Amino acid sequence: AQSVTQLDSQVPVFEEAPVELRCNYSSSVSVYLFWYVQYPNQGLQLLLKYLSGSTLVKGINGFEAEFNKSQTSFHLRKPSVHISDTAEYFCAVDFGNEKLTFGTGTRLTIIP
Amino acid sequence: DADVTQTPRNRITKTGKRIMLECSQTKGHDRMYWYRQDPGLGLQLIYYSFDVKDINKGEISDGYSVSRQAQAKFSLSLESAIPNQTALYFCATSDPLGAGGGDTQYFGPGTRLTVL
């Protein structure tokens, strides 16, 4: 079965430190990859997406992600986090079936 | 103004009651989706619709039904609510022919449903 894995359910990070949120998926078929962010009491907002081309994708709020086909990964990174980045982050994959499969989410907590 | 709206935003109901959650969008997208979110489980797809005449079951459709009244409206019903349907429900829309390609989904603010 096709699946998306976010191994870290919670990630605490000091303010202004770098962060990486991990995402791995099960299939090596052609995929579309997405990261969404959910701020407290809000819906999901698209951070960035990979469709094709350059494997390094830049998104909003200073986030970027790198597609690694051989490792079937799409890790999200930010070089310096802020208090406002406190949120839950979801990785999602379209395995070519025109639907999104979501990971279980990573809660990012920024420590002042 | 929000492109995807959901009503109500919060609802408390009792076991056995019929509940309808509504979703409207002004994005002009043909595709609409209903998800539920439970802590630690991410989002699970309940139903989706690729156009007004197309309705498909998702991963967890048991106990739910939907109605696509128009391109802009997609309603989710719980015919007889039970406590384990307590969750956060999201509606989303997408356009596979949208700018940049891919089928990016755009989410509403969610409905928090509590079944007592």
Side-chain angles (χ1 to χ4, degrees):
Chain A
Q2 294 164 333
S3 63
V4 179
T5 302
Q6 292 181 248
L7 283 174
D8 304 308
S9 60
Q10 297 188 60
V11 173
V13 180
F14 285 103
E15 193 173 15
E16 298 184 7
V19 68
E20 178 179 84
L21 305 183
R22 296 180 294 167
C23 174
N24 288 87
Y25 57 95
S26 60
S27 174
S28 60
V29 299
S30 295
V31 294
Y32 294 146
L33 301 160
F34 303 81
W35 275 99
Y36 283 87
V37 59
Q38 184 181 28
Y39 297 106
N41 300 311
Q42 294 188 28
L44 278 72
Q45 178 182 357
L46 181 69
L47 263 183
L48 49 79
K49 61 184 177 183
Y50 172 80
L51 304 179
S52 64
S54 173
T55 57
L56 184 63
V57 180
K58 294 189 182 298
I60 61 171
N61 301 339
F63 284 92
E64 63 182 31
E66 186 158 18
F67 168 53
N68 188 318
K69 186 175 182 178
S70 63
Q71 297 187 5
T72 59
S73 68
F74 190 53
H75 301 331
L76 181 70
R77 302 186 185 101
K78 186 170 182 177
S80 176
V81 295
H82 303 285
I83 291 288
S84 58
D85 293 323
T86 295
E88 190 153 19
Y89 292 79
F90 292 94
C91 179
V93 180
D94 179 347
F95 288 102
N97 57 1
E98 300 182 295
K99 294 182 290 183
L100 288 184
T101 300
F102 283 84
T104 52
T106 297
R107 187 172 298 278
L108 178 62
T109 301
I110 309 302
I111 305 165
Chain B
D1 290 337
D3 295 319
V4 184
T5 57
Q6 293 184 235
T7 55
R9 293 295 311 279
N10 288 282
R11 182 72 184 268
I12 300 174
T13 191
K14 295 182 178 180
T15 297
K17 294 291 189 180
R18 183 178 187 274
I19 297 297
M20 179 180 287
L21 309 182
E22 298 185 339
C23 177
S24 295
Q25 52 114 348
T26 58
K27 299 186 78 67
H29 292 170
D30 284 328
R31 298 185 173 189
M32 298 187 74
Y33 310 79
W34 275 105
Y35 292 92
R36 67 176 279 174
Q37 182 183 20
D38 297 279
L41 295 181
L43 276 74
Q44 296 173 279
L45 183 63
I46 307 172
Y47 271 95
Y48 61 103
S49 169
F50 281 177
D51 64 42
V52 174
K53 297 181 180 179
D54 175 74
I55 301 288
N56 303 282
K57 293 183 178 180
E59 313 165 59
I60 56 164
S61 59
D62 287 349
Y64 301 95
S65 62
V66 291
S67 173
R68 185 80 185 266
Q69 300 96 322
Q71 185 200 43
K73 295 184 182 297
F74 192 35
S75 300
L76 176 71
S77 293
L78 288 67
E79 297 301 325
S80 179
I82 56 177
N84 76 359
Q85 291 178 312
T86 292
L88 191 53
Y89 290 85
F90 286 104
C91 174
T93 74
S94 72
D95 175 11
L97 301 178
D103 200 6
T104 303
Q105 293 188 18
Y106 298 89
F107 286 79
T111 294
R112 187 170 297 279
L113 177 66
T114 302
V115 183
L116 302 176

